[in-house]
Amino acid sequence: MRNSFRLVKRAFLMMCLGFFIIPVYGQQRMKIGQKAPQIQVRTWLKGVPVKEFATGKVYVIEFWATWCKPCIELMPELSDLARKYKGKVEVIGINILDHSPEAKIAAFVINMGDKMEYSVALDDGTMRENWFLPSGSRGIPVSFVIDQRGSVAWYGNNGLEEAVAKVVKGESVTSFTDEANPSTPGITEYLFMPESESILKASEKLNAYIRNKEYKKVLLMYERLSNDSAQVARGVFSLYFEALINENPQQAFTVYKNLIQQKDRWQYWISWIVVHKMNLDKEFYLLAKALLEPASVDRAWSGQTLVREGLPEAYYRLGEKSQAVILLQKWIDELKQIEGGEMLVKTAESRLKTYNENL
Amino acid sequence: MKKIASVLFIVLTALALKAQQPVKWTTSAKALKDNKFEIRLTAKISEGWYIYSQYMAANGPIPTSISYEKNPQVEALGKAMEVGVLRQKYDSTFGMEIKVFLGQVEFVQQVAVKGNLPVILDGEVMYMGCNAEVCMPPQVEKFKITLK
């Protein structure tokens, strides 16, 4: 009983931490050659609005903010690029992660004059979700080059000019971006999103309901949040799932299965909740196990605690305890090599002790 | 009243390994005389990166800011001092004076404590870090310090 309490407490701690820090956790990495996600913005501040990528034209999507010095320094170069390839390449600057009021951002764009001689738009959160986060970039500026067929040809923090020169000539760009940013968890843990305050407020309330086992209230509140703001609702999705799995495990199973099918960014996080819940239908743990196996796990996630401790937990739930011990021990050995991994080693070792006691 | 220096922890801000963060934070607290304490928030900044001072004008990069949760037992005495090598210069990108820290900076805050010890002080520091090529979006690190 004490053990189970400790587990719940630990899962809960992980959840709380997640909610304070990772309103939106990592998602699938953007791949070179994939179809570019759609362009969707709040407002166009400059230039003719682009609703879709025209065949035969190259696009540069550039993310910036008013507080970002390297972004501002890059603007004249982007303007040169836009002038150099006029008619062939369209440059679009997207303002993201900026808390400044719209009027202030608009004034900034006007003041920049011909140093910002390309289209400019304000993100409504969609570009951040569908472009910036999957790029796994550590920060901004980050640029994307979309080729003549509407596919992602290149993205990264430097090397834009060379990439554009190649793509314009119809050449492919070696996907050095992937090599330059190997398996980073993405920027997501740093995010200070415009909605983060609302997400935080909502999660505090939802957490309180969950603590009191008032799951129905969580589900009702989630429904209300979904109607008011899809972004905020997305930010508290795991709390909704936590309530759902207690209130209606069958429906939770369908939701979980769909998440995995759609490679939703929450899939690993939700798996953590699943594997730490006892006495679920075996199918839950089998799904989690299949998702978390090294062969199928997303590269950007392969070194993450949620995955590395989630998999042994899935084995443990399925009764394959010696495999759980082997996997967790391997993770502990790796953690010991890493600076700053001490706290993680401690929690993993305490879990390993439980596994060994129940062998 | 027995007062001993206490060093506590900063709440880990990511499940991802901290090794990847260019700025790492630690906290410490030291008892002074007359129910006063000195709190230090230390930022260790990776090579090539910098963070901004608290003392800059608006309309530019976002200055570092420290805030504390309301606690009737604790009163912050003024704003935090900054101990580190300050680089100050006019920045034509923003058209204003910019103050940054490289390597390491300590934000030193004195607080007065009323009533019985220990007292737990919760707070957060918001900062943004940049290098020559990118800026991380402003981020928040939460901390919890026990004054005893």
Side-chain angles (χ1 to χ4, degrees), chain B residues 2-23:
Chain B
K2 200 179 169 190
K3 290 172 193 164
I4 355 162
S6 68
V7 177
L8 267 195
F9 62 93
I10 207 157
V11 174
L12 283 180
T13 59
L15 299 171
L17 300 175
K18 296 288 282 178
Q20 288 167 345
Q21 288 267 32
V23 184

Side-chain angles (χ1 to χ4, degrees), chain A residues 21 69 138 140 158 190 192, chain B residues 13 20-21 91 133 135 138:
Chain A
I21 302 122
K69 181 176 161 74
R138 189 170 240 196
I140 51 174
N158 57 48
Y190 309 138
F192 187 59
Chain B
T13 59
Q20 288 167 345
Q21 288 267 32
D91 187 315
E133 287 179 346
C135 285

Side-chain angles (χ1 to χ4, degrees), chain A residues 21-291:
Chain A
I21 302 122
I22 326 176
V24 174
Y25 209 73
Q27 59 196 124
Q28 236 205 345
R29 190 72 177 245
M30 185 178 276
K31 290 192 175 73
I32 301 298
Q34 76 165 62
K35 194 175 179 307
Q38 267 194 321
I39 263 214
Q40 191 190 312
V41 299
R42 178 149 53 107
T43 321
W44 287 87
L45 295 177
K46 199 170 179 176
V48 181
V50 174
K51 287 191 176 142
E52 53 189 27
F53 298 116
T55 309
K57 201 169 194 178
V58 173
Y59 292 84
V60 171
I61 309 289
E62 171 75 17
F63 289 124
W64 68 280
T66 52
W67 41 256
C68 167
K69 181 176 161 74
C71 303
I72 300 168
E73 286 173 344
L74 192 68
M75 287 167 181
E77 289 175 39
L78 284 169
S79 302
D80 286 345
L81 202 72
R83 281 189 284 265
K84 185 175 172 185
Y85 293 106
K86 201 173 177 184
K88 286 183 186 166
V89 177
E90 173 137 16
V91 179
I92 303 167
I94 308 273
N95 174 284
I96 60 165
L97 303 163
D98 206 325
H99 283 242
S100 312
E102 188 174 324
K104 204 175 148 193
I105 299 170
F108 174 92
V109 174
I110 292 168
N111 284 338
M112 287 301 284
D114 62 0
K115 286 185 198 151
M116 215 176 180
E117 212 171 281
Y118 46 86
S119 301
V120 183
L122 293 183
D123 181 30
D124 67 352
T126 313
M127 299 299 283
R128 178 193 67 218
E129 295 265 325
N130 297 344
W131 290 73
F132 177 65
L133 297 183
S135 79
S137 174
R138 189 170 240 196
I140 51 174
V142 60
S143 325
F144 299 78
V145 180
I146 310 307
D147 70 14
Q148 295 87 343
R149 293 178 305 280
S151 304
V152 178
W154 179 88
Y155 62 87
N157 297 116
N158 57 48
L160 172 68
E161 213 179 321
E162 297 91 313
V164 170
K166 284 193 175 181
V167 175
V168 164
K169 283 191 266 176
E171 293 173 20
S172 64
V173 188
T174 322
S175 65
F176 52 84
T177 310
D178 272 358
E179 287 148 29
N181 300 312
S183 300
T184 55
I187 193 155
T188 46
E189 71 266 27
Y190 309 138
L191 279 184
F192 187 59
M193 309 198 318
E195 302 88 4
S196 61
E197 231 164 84
S198 315
I199 291 173
L200 193 63
K201 248 191 205 160
S203 26
E204 274 169 9
K205 209 163 179 186
L206 291 168
N207 266 320
Y209 287 148
I210 287 177
R211 267 197 302 274
N212 296 331
K213 297 191 163 59
E214 295 174 299
Y215 303 122
K216 280 203 175 82
K217 284 190 182 168
V218 174
L219 300 182
L220 276 172
M221 184 171 158
Y222 182 78
E223 203 183 317
R224 265 204 317 276
L225 286 173
S226 305
N227 292 332
D228 294 344
S229 160
Q231 303 284 358
V232 175
R234 284 292 281 161
V236 297
F237 183 79
S238 71
L239 290 176
Y240 157 74
F241 188 85
E242 174 77 6
L244 189 66
I245 205 167
N246 281 292
E247 193 64 25
N248 187 344
Q250 219 173 351
Q251 201 187 333
F253 183 74
T254 312
V255 169
Y256 183 42
K257 208 169 152 186
N258 286 339
L259 282 182
I260 295 174
Q261 261 168 12
Q262 289 158 14
K263 299 193 161 102
D264 188 279
R265 65 161 181 265
W266 279 109
Q267 60 181 346
Y268 297 113
W269 193 256
I270 297 303
S271 298
W272 177 265
I273 297 175
V274 165
V275 296
H276 283 90
K277 186 149 179 64
M278 284 177 286
N279 304 324
L280 286 176
D281 197 292
K282 196 179 162 193
E283 298 300 314
F284 268 106
Y285 305 130
L286 285 171
L287 267 185
K289 184 179 143 216
L291 175 73

